[in-house]
Amino acid sequence: DVVQIVTEKPPQYAYEPGQATDVAINQAGWETAKRPFTFTGLPTDEHLQFTIKTYPERQGVTNRLLTLQVGDELLLHDVYGAISYHGEGVFIAGGAGVTPFIAILRHLHAQNAIGNNMLICANKTKADIILESEFRELLGSNFINILSDEKAAGYAHGQISAAFLNANKNGTPPLYYVCGPP
């Protein structure tokens, strides 16, 4: 239920890893139904990339994105967002809350600066984990998953708590980056 959209990058359109924009679909009845989506490609890429969890049962914008064809247009708005990299730390993501961290971690990898950053992702099931193999390649053992609705070998079970964080962090990280539902 995750779709990756790659689209043309307007001239002079700039963003920092972790930022987002409101996106609407340039189709009758959908032009004003804008939703926030995080850029998941690198700012230096020639195109824009979004990795979006869809909710077909809601019959909203993310469901409509599943019907797009090559040549359909998106309406992009101003860039915004307060999530940005300020140094090595622990990234904590709930479900699709991982999307701002995708571009940040890809950017660090491109600079050969992943360091000891850690990503902890909370999801309901293994199938819900976004870009699992890419994160395993980027972070190795510093990529940790916890599943709330499924028990699976090699994955923690439950929810992120202070005890879980204390048991899984490497030393005392200076920074925590958090994105996702309460």
Side-chain angles (χ1 to χ4, degrees), residues 85 87-91 104-105 107-119 137-143 170:
Y85 187 71
E88 202 167 272
V90 177
F91 293 82
I104 291 171
L105 293 169
H107 181 72
L108 290 171
H109 175 70
Q111 295 180 327
N112 198 27
I114 285 287
N116 200 33
N117 283 294
M118 177 179 280
L119 174 60
E137 184 177 318
L138 290 176
L139 298 164
S141 63
N142 279 350
F143 177 49
N170 296 336

Side-chain angles (χ1 to χ4, degrees), residues 67-150:
T67 69
L68 294 181
Q69 301 294 314
V70 172
D72 286 346
E73 294 180 346
L74 298 177
L75 302 172
L76 304 175
H77 297 270
D78 292 337
V79 173
Y80 63 88
I83 297 176
S84 60
Y85 187 71
H86 296 282
E88 202 167 272
V90 177
F91 293 82
I92 302 171
V98 74
T99 58
F101 305 149
I102 295 170
I104 291 171
L105 293 169
R106 285 176 173 173
H107 181 72
L108 290 171
H109 175 70
Q111 295 180 327
N112 198 27
I114 285 287
N116 200 33
N117 283 294
M118 177 179 280
L119 174 60
I120 298 175
C121 288
N123 285 284
K124 292 179 182 177
T125 68
K126 284 187 342 183
D128 294 321
I129 301 171
I130 296 173
L131 299 177
E132 181 177 11
S133 59
E134 181 176 349
F135 286 132
R136 286 206 187 285
E137 184 177 318
L138 290 176
L139 298 164
S141 63
N142 279 350
F143 177 49
I144 298 170
N145 289 280
I146 185 166
L147 308 175
S148 63
D149 293 1
E150 176 183 20

